[in-house]
Amino acid sequence: MPRPVTLFTGQWADLPFEEVCKLASGWGYDGLEIACWGDHFDVSLAVSDPSYVASRREILKRYGLEVWAISNHLTGQAVCDNPIDERHQGILSPAVWGDGDAEGVRVRAADALKDTARAARLLGVDTVVGFTGSSIWHLVAMFPPVPVGMIERGYADFAARWNPILDVFDSEGVRFAHEVHPSEIAYDYWSTVAALEAVDHRNAFGLNFDPSHFVWQDLDPVGFLWDFRDRIYHVDCKESVKQFNGRNGRLGSHLPWGDPRRGWDFVSTGHGDVPWEPVFRMLNSISYAGPISIEWEDAGMDRLVGAPDALAFVRKLTQIEPPTASFDAAFSSGS
């Protein structure tokens, strides 16, 4: 059977949950990857009020939708980040932000991620997608010169903060799917290797495959799928396009999304540089059987156009499945 196609609700969290369900159902989505912000899914309510999860399930059922994963990127970002500043205040709940004391924010974010695992189990899903944050992302330019020990301490900090969270994930039978993404502890190929080594390759920690950031970093998303095939816990279809022309730089020049002077930008799925057909053929090769979640991000295309357009594009790709018999089987005479 083709994999289910879901809509990630993170970019729709300004709308009420039921309105997003109605839109997604009308377009023909199979379900949602539900964001833990806006009014879409409240982790604290989920673990404290038995009726809350039932109410979310009832809304999904009303619109013929399923859920296979929830996402808590915003809270996860604060677990390891350094510095903690006004950017985080803008994305965190008041309960996690508290008085803004940096270490207090990190501790409360970690506690909220533990509750996210518990909430996922109550909802009946086994995957939480999100970010980890990073205490060493600000060192990426490697100047002033960065001693090796600073990088090692960054991965040690990640392991120290995330292993207790992952213990709860293990106890709940839930997996964390880290989105490989700039500003995180794993943002490219080798940093992913290092992150997995830091937590001793424990099964609770895997990957959310989102190739949009592979493109502008000149990484091979198809090879990444093969090499990390045992860690692909979730797939997001998000797209980006390169716009390098001798003036537009890879690092974006502090320019906002949609600015034509950027060296790369997000576009709706199917309108950029991700090699989607080879990606889906590789997903078949590694026997990925989970949902395909569409994440709309495009400063030049309205989401009400982008979401159904991306669904039609991805539906065709999900029809690519291995044949039941080898294509050359008919060449045999059978004698």
Side-chain angles (χ1 to χ4, degrees):
M1 292 291 292
R3 303 175 193 91
V5 183
T6 62
L7 178 68
F8 176 46
T9 74
Q11 289 80 13
W12 305 76
D14 57 314
L15 300 179
F17 181 63
E18 184 160 2
E19 184 174 345
V20 177
C21 288
K22 183 177 180 180
L23 287 168
S25 177
W27 289 323
Y29 280 89
D30 299 312
L32 301 178
E33 175 193 348
I34 306 177
C36 297
W37 56 90
D39 83 329
H40 291 193
F41 193 74
D42 187 316
V43 168
S44 61
L45 277 177
V47 298
S48 63
D49 181 356
S51 68
Y52 178 77
V53 169
S55 72
R56 298 291 96 176
R57 275 287 184 188
E58 192 280 327
I59 294 172
L60 289 166
K61 183 178 179 180
R62 190 182 311 159
Y63 292 97
L65 299 171
E66 296 289 341
V67 57
W68 289 269
I70 61 174
S71 297
N72 208 353
H73 295 70
L74 305 186
T75 301
Q77 187 66 46
V79 173
C80 287
D81 260 10
N82 184 21
I84 297 287
D85 55 37
E86 62 197 271
R87 298 169 301 155
H88 300 81
Q89 185 176 14
I91 64 172
L92 296 173
S93 69
V96 173
W97 177 255
D99 61 3
D101 172 73
E103 187 57 22
V105 170
R106 296 184 191 106
V107 170
R108 288 187 291 275
D111 288 341
L113 260 294
K114 295 173 185 176
D115 275 347
T116 305
R118 299 179 180 111
R121 176 48 54 207
L122 290 169
L123 186 62
V125 303
D126 64 3
T127 304
V128 173
V129 181
F131 291 151
T132 60
S134 172
S135 64
I136 53 174
W137 171 250
H138 66 287
L139 305 178
V140 69
M142 298 298 282
F143 190 86
V146 179
V148 172
M150 288 187 73
I151 304 301
E152 293 173 344
R153 288 194 297 274
Y155 284 100
D157 176 77
F158 156 67
R161 293 183 186 278
W162 273 90
N163 272 322
I165 297 171
L166 297 173
D167 288 342
V168 177
F169 274 74
D170 275 334
S171 67
E172 297 295 331
V174 178
R175 310 175 301 179
F176 184 76
H178 168 61
E179 186 170 324
V180 178
H181 186 292
S183 80
E184 310 308 321
I185 197 66
Y187 60 89
D188 63 7
Y189 186 98
W190 295 113
S191 59
T192 299
V193 170
L196 289 168
E197 290 176 348
V199 293
D200 199 26
H201 296 270
R202 59 185 300 176
N203 289 332
F205 186 83
L207 306 173
N208 176 52
F209 175 75
D210 172 355
S212 62
H213 287 285
F214 290 41
V215 165
W216 65 268
Q217 291 188 81
D218 290 334
L219 301 174
D220 174 11
V222 180
F224 186 95
L225 282 172
W226 177 255
D227 288 356
F228 295 102
R229 56 193 177 275
D230 63 332
R231 292 293 162 153
I232 305 301
Y233 290 172
H234 192 262
V235 171
D236 272 358
C237 282
K238 197 174 78 178
E239 181 84 91
S240 61
V241 62
K242 291 184 286 188
Q243 302 170 153
F244 303 136
N245 60 11
R247 298 187 302 279
N248 298 356
R250 191 178 302 276
L251 298 183
S253 306
H254 296 293
L255 295 168
W257 306 117
D259 192 304
R261 297 171 294 171
R262 288 183 55 85
W264 67 275
D265 214 333
F266 293 120
V267 291
S268 195
T269 301
H271 295 272
D273 293 328
V274 174
W276 286 115
E277 184 169 329
V279 162
F280 273 77
R281 288 177 180 270
M282 182 56 77
L283 289 172
N284 289 338
S285 294
I286 66 173
S287 300
Y288 174 77
I292 304 296
S293 185
I294 291 173
E295 182 175 1
W296 170 85
E297 288 189 359
D298 191 327
M301 180 184 291
D302 189 273
R303 62 187 177 182
L304 296 177
V305 175
D309 177 75
L311 176 61
F313 177 80
V314 170
R315 282 284 189 214
K316 293 180 180 179
L317 293 167
T318 63
Q319 301 303 314
I320 300 173
E321 294 186 323
T324 56
S326 172
F327 70 84
D328 60 356
F331 299 163
S332 173
S333 65
S335 58

mmCIF file of all heavy atoms in Angstrom, residues 148-170:
data_model
loop_
_atom_site.group_PDB
_atom_site.id
_atom_site.type_symbol
_atom_site.label_atom_id
_atom_site.label_comp_id
_atom_site.label_asym_id
_atom_site.label_seq_id
_atom_site.Cartn_x
_atom_site.Cartn_y
_atom_site.Cartn_z
ATOM 1 N N VAL A 148 39.613 21.809 19.596
ATOM 2 C CA VAL A 148 38.848 20.572 19.429
ATOM 3 C C VAL A 148 38.016 20.287 20.667
ATOM 4 O O VAL A 148 36.870 19.811 20.583
ATOM 5 C CB VAL A 148 39.797 19.397 19.127
ATOM 6 C CG1 VAL A 148 39.035 18.070 19.140
ATOM 7 C CG2 VAL A 148 40.481 19.596 17.786
ATOM 8 N N GLY A 149 38.542 20.607 21.810
ATOM 9 C CA GLY A 149 37.839 20.332 23.055
ATOM 10 C C GLY A 149 36.511 21.048 23.162
ATOM 11 O O GLY A 149 35.571 20.545 23.803
ATOM 12 N N MET A 150 36.383 22.225 22.541
ATOM 13 C CA MET A 150 35.102 22.936 22.584
ATOM 14 C C MET A 150 34.025 22.166 21.833
ATOM 15 O O MET A 150 32.866 22.092 22.274
ATOM 16 C CB MET A 150 35.251 24.341 21.992
ATOM 17 C CG MET A 150 36.023 25.313 22.853
ATOM 18 S SD MET A 150 35.980 27.008 22.186
ATOM 19 C CE MET A 150 34.279 27.484 22.568
ATOM 20 N N ILE A 151 34.385 21.597 20.698
ATOM 21 C CA ILE A 151 33.432 20.809 19.930
ATOM 22 C C ILE A 151 33.071 19.540 20.705
ATOM 23 O O ILE A 151 31.894 19.157 20.793
ATOM 24 C CB ILE A 151 34.000 20.447 18.551
ATOM 25 C CG1 ILE A 151 34.415 21.713 17.781
ATOM 26 C CG2 ILE A 151 32.998 19.621 17.760
ATOM 27 C CD1 ILE A 151 33.284 22.689 17.544
ATOM 28 N N GLU A 152 34.063 18.891 21.266
ATOM 29 C CA GLU A 152 33.804 17.680 22.042
ATOM 30 C C GLU A 152 32.880 17.968 23.209
ATOM 31 O O GLU A 152 31.972 17.167 23.512
ATOM 32 C CB GLU A 152 35.127 17.086 22.532
ATOM 33 C CG GLU A 152 36.003 16.546 21.405
ATOM 34 C CD GLU A 152 37.368 16.116 21.891
ATOM 35 O OE1 GLU A 152 37.754 16.511 23.030
ATOM 36 O OE2 GLU A 152 38.067 15.397 21.149
ATOM 37 N N ARG A 153 33.076 19.112 23.869
ATOM 38 C CA ARG A 153 32.202 19.463 24.994
ATOM 39 C C ARG A 153 30.775 19.722 24.520
ATOM 40 O O ARG A 153 29.814 19.471 25.244
ATOM 41 C CB ARG A 153 32.753 20.680 25.735
ATOM 42 C CG ARG A 153 34.008 20.394 26.542
ATOM 43 C CD ARG A 153 34.330 21.500 27.526
ATOM 44 N NE ARG A 153 34.635 22.778 26.887
ATOM 45 C CZ ARG A 153 35.846 23.128 26.454
ATOM 46 N NH1 ARG A 153 36.862 22.274 26.561
ATOM 47 N NH2 ARG A 153 36.050 24.312 25.909
ATOM 48 N N GLY A 154 30.636 20.222 23.290
ATOM 49 C CA GLY A 154 29.300 20.449 22.753
ATOM 50 C C GLY A 154 28.525 19.159 22.581
ATOM 51 O O GLY A 154 27.336 19.084 22.930
ATOM 52 N N TYR A 155 29.183 18.129 22.054
ATOM 53 C CA TYR A 155 28.508 16.846 21.896
ATOM 54 C C TYR A 155 28.284 16.167 23.244
ATOM 55 O O TYR A 155 27.268 15.483 23.451
ATOM 56 C CB TYR A 155 29.286 15.947 20.936
ATOM 57 C CG TYR A 155 29.080 16.366 19.499
ATOM 58 C CD1 TYR A 155 30.025 17.136 18.829
ATOM 59 C CD2 TYR A 155 27.916 16.016 18.822
ATOM 60 C CE1 TYR A 155 29.813 17.551 17.522
ATOM 61 C CE2 TYR A 155 27.697 16.423 17.517
ATOM 62 C CZ TYR A 155 28.649 17.194 16.874
ATOM 63 O OH TYR A 155 28.432 17.614 15.576
ATOM 64 N N ALA A 156 29.204 16.398 24.174
ATOM 65 C CA ALA A 156 29.002 15.852 25.517
ATOM 66 C C ALA A 156 27.817 16.531 26.201
ATOM 67 O O ALA A 156 27.029 15.880 26.907
ATOM 68 C CB ALA A 156 30.270 16.026 26.346
ATOM 69 N N ASP A 157 27.680 17.828 25.988
ATOM 70 C CA ASP A 157 26.542 18.562 26.551
ATOM 71 C C ASP A 157 25.238 18.035 25.964
ATOM 72 O O ASP A 157 24.245 17.823 26.682
ATOM 73 C CB ASP A 157 26.698 20.050 26.251
ATOM 74 C CG ASP A 157 25.503 20.871 26.710
ATOM 75 O OD1 ASP A 157 25.392 21.118 27.930
ATOM 76 O OD2 ASP A 157 24.679 21.270 25.855
ATOM 77 N N PHE A 158 25.228 17.819 24.671
ATOM 78 C CA PHE A 158 24.043 17.247 24.012
ATOM 79 C C PHE A 158 23.682 15.906 24.634
ATOM 80 O O PHE A 158 22.514 15.646 24.978
ATOM 81 C CB PHE A 158 24.314 17.102 22.514
ATOM 82 C CG PHE A 158 23.484 16.064 21.826
ATOM 83 C CD1 PHE A 158 22.111 16.212 21.689
ATOM 84 C CD2 PHE A 158 24.082 14.914 21.308
ATOM 85 C CE1 PHE A 158 21.339 15.242 21.042
ATOM 86 C CE2 PHE A 158 23.326 13.948 20.670
ATOM 87 C CZ PHE A 158 21.951 14.106 20.540
ATOM 88 N N ALA A 159 24.665 15.027 24.800
ATOM 89 C CA ALA A 159 24.390 13.703 25.351
ATOM 90 C C ALA A 159 23.893 13.797 26.788
ATOM 91 O O ALA A 159 22.940 13.094 27.172
ATOM 92 C CB ALA A 159 25.646 12.839 25.280
ATOM 93 N N ALA A 160 24.494 14.672 27.575
ATOM 94 C CA ALA A 160 24.100 14.798 28.979
ATOM 95 C C ALA A 160 22.672 15.310 29.114
ATOM 96 O O ALA A 160 21.933 14.897 30.016
ATOM 97 C CB ALA A 160 25.064 15.718 29.706
ATOM 98 N N ARG A 161 22.270 16.207 28.221
ATOM 99 C CA ARG A 161 20.922 16.782 28.310
ATOM 100 C C ARG A 161 19.869 15.885 27.669
ATOM 101 O O ARG A 161 18.714 15.851 28.125
ATOM 102 C CB ARG A 161 20.905 18.160 27.660
ATOM 103 C CG ARG A 161 21.746 19.195 28.411
ATOM 104 C CD ARG A 161 21.654 20.569 27.776
ATOM 105 N NE ARG A 161 22.555 21.519 28.408
ATOM 106 C CZ ARG A 161 22.298 22.177 29.542
ATOM 107 N NH1 ARG A 161 21.135 21.989 30.153
ATOM 108 N NH2 ARG A 161 23.178 23.015 30.053
ATOM 109 N N TRP A 162 20.239 15.143 26.621
ATOM 110 C CA TRP A 162 19.245 14.369 25.895
ATOM 111 C C TRP A 162 19.118 12.926 26.372
ATOM 112 O O TRP A 162 18.048 12.327 26.224
ATOM 113 C CB TRP A 162 19.538 14.424 24.394
ATOM 114 C CG TRP A 162 18.893 15.631 23.794
ATOM 115 C CD1 TRP A 162 19.431 16.884 23.654
ATOM 116 C CD2 TRP A 162 17.553 15.722 23.307
ATOM 117 N NE1 TRP A 162 18.507 17.742 23.107
ATOM 118 C CE2 TRP A 162 17.349 17.059 22.881
ATOM 119 C CE3 TRP A 162 16.513 14.816 23.182
ATOM 120 C CZ2 TRP A 162 16.134 17.497 22.341
ATOM 121 C CZ3 TRP A 162 15.303 15.237 22.644
ATOM 122 C CH2 TRP A 162 15.122 16.567 22.233
ATOM 123 N N ASN A 163 20.146 12.346 26.945
ATOM 124 C CA ASN A 163 19.997 10.965 27.408
ATOM 125 C C ASN A 163 18.883 10.802 28.448
ATOM 126 O O ASN A 163 18.096 9.848 28.343
ATOM 127 C CB ASN A 163 21.326 10.419 27.931
ATOM 128 C CG ASN A 163 22.165 9.777 26.831
ATOM 129 O OD1 ASN A 163 21.638 9.118 25.936
ATOM 130 N ND2 ASN A 163 23.479 9.969 26.900
ATOM 131 N N PRO A 164 18.745 11.704 29.428
ATOM 132 C CA PRO A 164 17.610 11.559 30.351
ATOM 133 C C PRO A 164 16.256 11.716 29.658
ATOM 134 O O PRO A 164 15.275 11.066 30.046
ATOM 135 C CB PRO A 164 17.839 12.683 31.374
ATOM 136 C CG PRO A 164 19.309 12.957 31.318
ATOM 137 C CD PRO A 164 19.680 12.757 29.881
ATOM 138 N N ILE A 165 16.196 12.567 28.631
ATOM 139 C CA ILE A 165 14.960 12.692 27.848
ATOM 140 C C ILE A 165 14.685 11.391 27.114
ATOM 141 O O ILE A 165 13.557 10.871 27.123
ATOM 142 C CB ILE A 165 15.083 13.862 26.849
ATOM 143 C CG1 ILE A 165 15.262 15.196 27.572
ATOM 144 C CG2 ILE A 165 13.869 13.904 25.918
ATOM 145 C CD1 ILE A 165 15.612 16.350 26.649
ATOM 146 N N LEU A 166 15.712 10.840 26.494
ATOM 147 C CA LEU A 166 15.556 9.602 25.723
ATOM 148 C C LEU A 166 15.220 8.418 26.620
ATOM 149 O O LEU A 166 14.576 7.457 26.174
ATOM 150 C CB LEU A 166 16.815 9.333 24.911
ATOM 151 C CG LEU A 166 17.130 10.396 23.847
ATOM 152 C CD1 LEU A 166 18.496 10.114 23.207
ATOM 153 C CD2 LEU A 166 16.044 10.463 22.782
ATOM 154 N N ASP A 167 15.630 8.474 27.890
ATOM 155 C CA ASP A 167 15.230 7.427 28.835
ATOM 156 C C ASP A 167 13.706 7.372 28.947
ATOM 157 O O ASP A 167 13.114 6.280 29.000
ATOM 158 C CB ASP A 167 15.839 7.683 30.213
ATOM 159 C CG ASP A 167 17.336 7.434 30.260
ATOM 160 O OD1 ASP A 167 17.873 6.753 29.353
ATOM 161 O OD2 ASP A 167 17.985 7.937 31.208
ATOM 162 N N VAL A 168 13.075 8.548 28.983
ATOM 163 C CA VAL A 168 11.615 8.596 29.058
ATOM 164 C C VAL A 168 11.012 8.103 27.748
ATOM 165 O O VAL A 168 10.016 7.373 27.747
ATOM 166 C CB VAL A 168 11.129 10.016 29.408
ATOM 167 C CG1 VAL A 168 9.602 10.082 29.415
ATOM 168 C CG2 VAL A 168 11.688 10.451 30.750
ATOM 169 N N PHE A 169 11.606 8.498 26.617
ATOM 170 C CA PHE A 169 11.131 7.990 25.330
ATOM 171 C C PHE A 169 11.171 6.461 25.320
ATOM 172 O O PHE A 169 10.219 5.805 24.873
ATOM 173 C CB PHE A 169 11.967 8.566 24.187
ATOM 174 C CG PHE A 169 11.495 9.898 23.691
ATOM 175 C CD1 PHE A 169 11.697 11.054 24.423
ATOM 176 C CD2 PHE A 169 10.822 10.003 22.480
ATOM 177 C CE1 PHE A 169 11.246 12.287 23.965
ATOM 178 C CE2 PHE A 169 10.357 11.219 22.013
ATOM 179 C CZ PHE A 169 10.577 12.374 22.756
ATOM 180 N N ASP A 170 12.267 5.893 25.804
ATOM 181 C CA ASP A 170 12.366 4.435 25.865
ATOM 182 C C ASP A 170 11.265 3.839 26.734
ATOM 183 O O ASP A 170 10.628 2.848 26.352
ATOM 184 C CB ASP A 170 13.733 4.027 26.425
ATOM 185 C CG ASP A 170 14.814 3.958 25.357
ATOM 186 O OD1 ASP A 170 14.476 3.743 24.172
ATOM 187 O OD2 ASP A 170 15.999 4.119 25.702
#
